[in-house]
Amino acid sequence: MTAAHGSGSPRERQSDGPDPELVERERELALIARLTRSTAAGDPALVVFEGPDGIGKTALLNTLLRQARDLGLRVVHTRAGQTGHRLPLSTTHALLAGLTADGTDRLPLTAWPSPSRGPVPRPPGLLCYDVDTTSVSFAVLAELHEVVRSAAMTGPLVIAVDDVEEADPASLRFLAHTARRMTGLPVLLALTRRSGTHVPSLSEVAALPLCHVLRPRPLTGAGIGLLTRRLVGAETDSAFQESCLAATNGNPLMVTRLLTALREERLPLTAAQFAAMGEGDAAVFRPRALRLLHRQPEASVQAARALAVLGDGAAPETCARLAHLDSTAFVGSVLVLISIGFVTSNGDGTWSFAHDLLRNAVLGDMSEDELASAHRRAARLLHDSGASAADVAEHLCRAGTAPEPWERAVLREAAREAMLRAAPDRAVHLLRPCVPEGTEDTCDPALLVELGVAETRVDPGAGVRHLTSALRRASRPELRLTALGALTEALTRQGRVSRAMTLLSQYRSDATATASASASGVASPELMEAQMLLAATVNRAAYTDLLRTVTFDLSLPGETAGERALLAARAVVSASRLDRVAESVAAARTVTCRASATTDSVAYRCAGGLALLYADLPHEAEHVYRQLLEGTDPLTDQAYPSLLALSAEAHHRLGGLDEALRATAAVLRSITVARAGAHQALPLAVRLHTLLDWGDLAEASRLEAEIPDPVQDDAWQWNEVLCARGRLHLAKDDPKRALAHLEECGRRQAQWQRVSPAVSPWWYWTGLTHLALGDRGAALALAEEAVGRARAAGLPCALGSGLQLWAEAVGDDERPPLLEEAEQVLAGTRAALLRARVRVARGQTLHRLGYNKAAREVLRQGWEEAYAVGSRSLHGIAHRALLATGARPRRPVSRGLGALTHSEAQVARLAADGRSNAWIAERLFVTQRTVEVHLTSVYRKLGLSGRRELRDALESADAGAATHGK
């Protein structure tokens, strides 16, 4: 491998200049040196360099020739396969003609072909023989060998042929004849041969005892690093070297061309840059890669194009049919692609391109018509072989032509799958080719409804237009109901509430439609109104308008799925507005208890859980979300991320920091935080709060720096991000900046009418920020307002936090009764973190007032609870406060249910429900070993011996908590 010309065949280079020092070719160079010295001493030698294109055969041959000349050996060298080298003995003539270079007028004897047509010029002084194109007589071979022998008698001789497999058959016969008769001659015969070629004469040469066959190996990562240093003059780390190795399979020519492209385009030599390299990032590399590809047989080019069109891991049979090759020929062609570094094996009988740059180069080598035709044919082949609709549709979309009937059916099926995966943009992309512009009034209304439903989440304007057209033309009642429900939802999202309400009123007044809805179960007036309420939560103007229009009757019996959906939607809105919270709780419990997976949408059952969360019952909400998550498919159900996010918030309110972190990580794993939307805002806010409670300020700051600015998006989810951001700046001792975020959050919450103190803790952190700025009056006003609202609505967690904030805003003498009441209120809840926070604050107050013994007792409880929930920051505060009272706290060890960490408690409840360790590990995103450790700790703390006793202990605890709560 060289650092200048690459290491490919000379036909790939512009010139045959001297090759610089080779990389990772010590074994080959040692043999070359030995053979040239041996020939210089009068001994014969025979060497064949064999390998794929780009592996460095020509570079090694050039090195051999250079060393031979340095030792004074006479050299004759040619490259087979050049123009005119297909005539019989043409390659032989090119070699032997070089033996006249010593100044002699003529060779003693040679042969020159007499072609079947047309005169062929012949060098003067050379004798002429008639030679058949497929065979040559022994007499001719003997006379030609005599030329070699005579030349060798005058001094050591090196005969070299590059790309020898391209030589004419007669010349190959001559080379084999000479190789067998080199004994006693000071001749070194050196040949380069592409691997995978089957030429009997060359196989005969390679099998001779005198022959050395050298097969250069691909470069290693270290070799790539050395080559980079020589070629580019830069040091690279192992990550870049391994990335380059993976993309080129260590083929020296591919490595050289890639590094040259990076150098010419001034791109950084880092693994991150390499991984992100796309189609246009190394344009110089494409023609260089294509030159290597087009050196291969046409079948290999066709195989490369088939693999590029079908994508990584495609079935070999399908690839072969797309390439118009039989299976054997296709596999052989792929082996050629592997040898030159284009393709790698996946280990399961399929293949992948080594890097996207190579795939893009192959695709870019095809015209638009060729690509479209290939994708259309690939779609048909995949469809006929039983591939999924999504795979077939991918190629149909790239074909870019008007779909035929079978293609429309495939696109519709793939669009339905996309909607199930919560990918409406993908569904719209698939369906729009089925409804060309201007054909809305003539296409299938059912197809138009499917497109309109998908567009309501991506392009509401187009969705309204298509659904309106479909509603006007649809005749089947169930199709009309589906279109009507989607249309009212789309109109609401657009803020056209009055139009949506008009449609809903017309539908309610249509007894036939109502009867059809009841019979088909497709839609009902209650379900449509529920859809409107939930749709309005993405548009503040529509939400405000709708709240003035609809009623919030929470006395519906909840007998039907439509009634339960409407109850859930109304309960969420009522709870957030602090309007009849007790009735909202009753409605939410009706929904969660009576709903079933077969009749009720996950979205409305989730809304019931959210109403419980906003009613300050996080333990009930967590139970609802846990049940929903157990019955939801993470891969296909579009509600799964929302369920995880709300579950994380419920866990956080309960003090389950581990669970909150795991759930938010699962939601955010597949997104880029910098491009997060409203649906990711809530898990981002919960994660920020949890990290701050955990005590990881650095990680919280890093995450916050990536979150986009929510100013331009007034979705209510961003309000929670503003709250978390304000709390973070407060923790970083920047109260002025914190107050700006928190007050903006409060303003936006008021605009959304989310006035319940249980909806968001923004008021609590705003009050603490006012205190940090010395404004006790503002903090006290917030505390009094929150306490008043929480008392009236029966919100225990919000009441406890409000009393704590009130205590912080008054003097030390007034604090104890407020904090004692807060502790008593929170004792009846499962909000362990809030309870620990209040106890620590109460202990600190008692210490300042001189009640050290009482302070130690209260602080120790808060210290142990903070440790149990995993709040390192609060645990540290409690620890320092305990030391100040004169206590010497050891590691907290306690017994009973209260001693369980939230992780242990969750594992215990799942185990008590009869779940296996493997099931629990998969659900909680932990290992089975972690589950076993948690269960061992649970048994030890509760003094139990197994799961049977665990179930009884938890049921007794739940009964006791319910009694205490009453």
Side-chain angles (χ1 to χ4, degrees):
M1 167 65 232
T2 70
H5 301 292
S7 57
S9 168
R11 76 186 76 182
E12 299 170 14
R13 301 202 304 257
Q14 301 301 319
S15 64
D16 289 327
D19 293 296
E21 184 179 356
L22 300 172
V23 173
E24 292 190 328
R25 293 293 181 256
E26 292 78 8
R27 178 178 64 90
E28 292 85 350
L29 292 175
L31 179 61
I32 287 171
R34 180 165 64 83
L35 293 179
T36 53
R37 288 196 301 268
S38 174
T39 302
D43 295 326
L46 177 57
V47 62
V48 175
F49 301 102
E50 182 175 333
D53 285 342
I55 202 65
K57 306 184 298 294
T58 299
L60 289 169
L61 181 64
N62 289 342
T63 300
L64 183 149
L65 298 178
R66 187 165 53 251
Q67 292 186 10
R69 292 187 181 102
D70 292 342
L71 291 173
L73 277 67
R74 189 178 183 188
V75 173
V76 290
H77 171 218
T78 191
R79 172 166 58 86
Q82 301 181 87
T83 303
H85 270 225
R86 299 309 300 170
L87 295 174
L89 289 178
S90 55
T91 301
T92 301
H93 174 266
L95 278 174
L96 301 187
L99 293 179
T100 66
D102 60 352
T104 60
D105 292 335
R106 56 177 286 162
L107 293 172
L109 182 66
T110 188
W112 182 245
S114 179
S116 59
R117 45 185 181 173
V120 178
R122 168 171 94 249
L126 297 182
L127 301 180
C128 179
Y129 282 98
D130 288 331
V131 178
D132 187 81
T133 58
T134 59
S135 65
V136 58
S137 68
F138 180 83
V140 172
L141 293 176
E143 292 178 352
L144 291 173
H145 177 68
E146 181 62 24
V147 175
V148 174
R149 193 192 66 79
S150 299
M153 290 299 97
T154 66
L157 175 65
V158 175
I159 300 175
V161 183
D162 202 1
D163 296 329
V164 67
E165 74 278 358
E166 299 290 342
D168 61 275
S171 294
L172 290 172
R173 289 282 307 277
F174 162 70
L175 291 172
H177 180 89
T178 298
R180 291 194 299 270
R181 292 163 174 79
M182 290 175 58
T183 304
L185 296 179
V187 176
L188 170 56
L189 179 59
L191 310 174
T192 71
R193 174 189 185 186
R194 183 195 300 148
S195 58
T197 56
H198 302 287
V199 181
S201 299
L202 296 180
S203 300
E204 180 183 339
V205 171
L208 293 173
L210 184 65
C211 184
H212 298 273
V213 179
L214 286 181
R215 297 182 177 89
R217 290 166 295 182
L219 296 178
T220 64
I224 291 174
L226 178 58
L227 179 60
T228 307
R229 185 159 58 249
R230 293 178 181 174
L231 182 65
V232 185
E235 295 289 341
T236 55
D237 58 18
S238 60
F240 170 81
Q241 295 163 13
E242 292 303 319
S243 297
C244 190
L245 176 62
T248 61
N249 285 339
N251 183 284
L253 180 60
M254 293 295 294
V255 173
T256 301
R257 289 179 171 178
L258 181 57
L259 292 174
T260 302
L262 292 173
R263 180 187 63 189
E264 293 181 6
E265 300 194 9
R266 303 178 185 273
L267 295 174
L269 303 181
T270 63
Q273 172 65 35
F274 195 92
M277 192 180 296
E279 183 176 356
D281 290 333
V284 178
F285 176 69
R286 175 181 291 181
R288 293 170 173 168
L290 290 176
R291 282 201 300 271
L292 177 59
L293 175 64
H294 284 290
R295 256 189 55 77
Q296 314 312 313
E298 182 62 25
S300 294
V301 177
Q302 292 300 109
R305 290 183 171 184
L307 286 171
V309 168
L310 286 169
D312 293 344
E317 297 80 5
T318 307
C319 294
R321 293 179 65 188
L322 183 61
H324 299 283
L325 299 171
D326 61 60
S327 298
T328 303
F330 178 77
V331 172
S333 300
V334 171
L335 292 177
V336 173
L337 297 175
I338 292 175
S339 70
I340 63 173
F342 262 64
V343 170
T344 60
S345 173
N346 295 330
D348 58 356
T350 63
W351 303 276
S352 300
F353 274 88
H355 194 272
D356 285 342
L357 282 172
L358 297 170
R359 176 189 290 105
N360 291 332
V362 174
L363 292 174
D365 193 41
M366 302 171 68
S367 68
E368 292 185 4
D369 290 341
E370 286 176 327
L371 267 178
S373 176
H375 279 297
R376 195 176 190 89
R377 188 161 180 268
R380 186 76 228 192
L381 289 172
L382 289 171
H383 180 264
D384 292 345
S385 64
S388 69
D391 291 340
V392 178
E394 182 69 26
H395 293 282
L396 290 176
C397 289
R398 295 182 182 183
T401 56
E404 297 178 0
W406 75 268
E407 295 172 335
R408 281 195 295 272
V410 170
L411 290 171
R412 292 176 70 175
E413 182 180 351
R416 296 185 193 108
E417 294 176 0
M419 291 297 290
L420 289 175
R421 296 193 307 269
D425 51 343
R426 175 65 178 164
V428 170
H429 177 69
L430 294 168
L431 290 174
R432 277 185 173 167
C434 301
V435 187
E437 195 71 27
T439 64
E440 293 87 348
D441 292 336
T442 57
C443 74
D444 180 5
L447 172 59
L448 207 57
V449 169
E450 292 176 20
L451 174 59
V453 169
E455 286 176 329
T456 57
R457 302 301 179 94
V458 179
D459 185 356
V464 168
R465 186 175 68 255
H466 288 143
L467 288 169
T468 301
S469 176
L471 187 62
R472 185 174 60 252
R473 297 174 47 233
S475 57
R476 290 186 289 119
E478 63 274 14
L479 183 61
R480 290 182 55 81
L481 293 174
T482 301
L484 183 60
L487 181 57
T488 55
E489 183 177 350
L491 290 168
T492 304
R493 287 177 180 273
Q494 281 191 306
R496 299 163 64 181
V497 175
S498 59
R499 170 64 177 155
M501 290 302 298
T502 299
L503 287 174
L504 182 59
S505 298
Q506 292 175 355
Y507 174 57
R508 278 183 170 145
S509 63
D510 188 345
T512 303
T514 305
S516 298
S518 301
S520 63
V522 173
S524 67
E526 294 82 10
L527 186 58
M528 289 186 184
E529 185 175 340
Q531 290 174 339
M532 290 176 59
L533 281 171
L534 292 188
T537 59
V538 303
N539 185 321
R540 183 167 56 82
Y543 183 74
T544 304
D545 193 10
L546 193 61
L547 295 186
R548 291 194 298 262
T549 306
V550 301
T551 61
F552 284 86
D553 179 13
L554 295 171
S555 62
L556 295 174
E559 297 292 341
T560 66
E563 288 181 348
R564 291 191 290 271
L566 187 54
L567 275 178
R570 288 176 175 177
V572 172
V573 175
S574 296
S576 64
R577 297 172 68 195
L578 211 65
D579 178 25
R580 297 175 295 164
V581 175
E583 293 180 45
S584 299
V585 170
R589 286 172 175 165
T590 297
V591 172
T592 57
C593 291
R594 295 188 178 183
S596 69
T598 56
T599 59
D600 295 76
S601 168
V602 173
Y604 299 110
R605 297 161 69 194
C606 178
L610 186 59
L612 294 171
L613 193 67
Y614 287 172
D616 229 1
L617 298 170
H619 61 287
E620 290 192 37
E622 190 277 329
H623 179 72
V624 171
Y625 297 137
R626 176 156 37 94
Q627 288 185 323
L628 289 174
L629 285 170
E630 290 174 2
T632 303
D633 188 338
L635 299 178
T636 61
D637 202 309
Q638 58 186 352
Y640 190 80
S642 298
L643 285 173
L644 268 183
L646 292 172
S647 175
E649 183 169 4
H651 282 303
H652 177 257
R653 294 191 184 199
L654 291 169
L657 304 186
D658 289 345
E659 290 79 5
L661 286 175
R662 278 197 295 269
T664 53
V667 176
L668 303 173
R669 184 177 297 126
S670 60
I671 71 158
T672 302
V673 173
R675 295 197 292 268
H679 291 294
Q680 292 82 39
L682 183 60
L684 283 170
V686 174
R687 189 165 184 83
L688 273 179
H689 280 297
T690 307
L691 288 170
L692 291 171
D693 287 324
W694 187 268
D696 196 342
L697 184 60
E699 178 62 18
S701 299
R702 185 200 62 76
L703 177 63
E704 187 267 344
E706 297 181 20
I707 298 176
D709 186 0
V711 171
Q712 302 302 321
D713 190 343
D714 69 347
W716 64 266
Q717 292 92 334
W718 288 111
N719 303 353
E720 310 309 322
V721 172
L722 287 170
C723 174
R725 219 167 216 163
R727 180 186 175 186
L728 173 63
H729 290 302
L730 179 61
K732 295 167 70 172
D733 296 323
D734 189 356
K736 290 185 178 179
R737 193 174 178 186
L739 188 61
H741 287 294
L742 290 165
E743 287 188 333
E744 173 65 13
C745 174
R747 183 186 67 80
R748 291 172 57 144
Q749 296 282 30
Q751 289 178 337
W752 276 98
Q753 301 186 38
R754 294 164 61 87
V755 296
S756 170
V759 167
S760 169
W762 72 269
W763 53 271
Y764 175 82
W765 298 110
T766 304
L768 293 183
T769 304
H770 281 306
L771 291 174
L773 292 170
D775 190 349
R776 288 181 175 270
L780 185 59
L782 284 170
E784 289 178 342
E785 181 180 14
V787 168
R789 288 178 170 177
R791 283 192 196 280
L795 308 175
C797 299
L799 178 57
S801 296
L803 289 169
Q804 183 195 356
L805 178 60
W806 194 331
E808 295 290 341
V810 298
D812 282 346
D813 292 342
E814 302 177 66
R815 287 180 184 172
L818 291 170
L819 291 173
E820 186 174 354
E821 181 185 358
E823 187 176 353
Q824 291 174 351
V825 169
L826 293 171
T829 71
R830 298 180 187 175
L833 181 58
L834 294 180
R835 187 167 59 243
R837 189 182 292 157
V838 168
R839 280 178 174 159
V840 171
R842 181 169 167 245
Q844 290 174 314
T845 300
L846 291 172
H847 171 60
R848 286 194 297 269
L849 293 174
Y851 301 107
N852 284 348
K853 183 177 179 181
R856 280 195 293 269
E857 182 180 349
V858 175
L859 282 170
R860 185 175 295 278
Q861 288 180 306
W863 178 65
E864 290 182 347
E865 287 181 332
Y867 175 83
V869 299
S871 179
R872 294 180 295 185
S873 56
L874 183 60
H875 183 259
I877 294 172
H879 188 80
R880 291 188 293 273
L882 267 175
L883 292 176
T885 65
R888 294 294 179 265
R890 299 179 180 178
R891 182 178 177 180
V893 177
S894 54
R895 302 286 179 179
L897 287 173
L900 300 181
T901 66
H902 205 76
S903 298
E904 292 169 348
Q906 190 173 31
V907 169
R909 291 189 177 278
L910 292 174
D913 290 340
R915 303 297 185 180
S916 67
N917 288 1
W919 191 96
I920 297 172
E922 182 178 357
R923 175 57 58 183
L924 300 183
F925 308 103
V926 297
T927 64
Q928 290 192 50
R929 176 59 182 162
T930 301
V931 174
E932 293 169 1
V933 170
H934 282 331
L935 284 176
T936 301
S937 179
V938 168
Y939 297 152
R940 176 177 54 82
K941 291 180 179 180
L942 301 183
L944 305 176
S945 60
R947 298 194 179 207
R948 186 182 302 275
E949 296 179 1
L950 178 60
R951 185 183 299 110
D952 295 338
L954 293 181
E955 289 176 354
S956 299
D958 290 340
T963 303
H964 185 73
K966 294 179 181 179

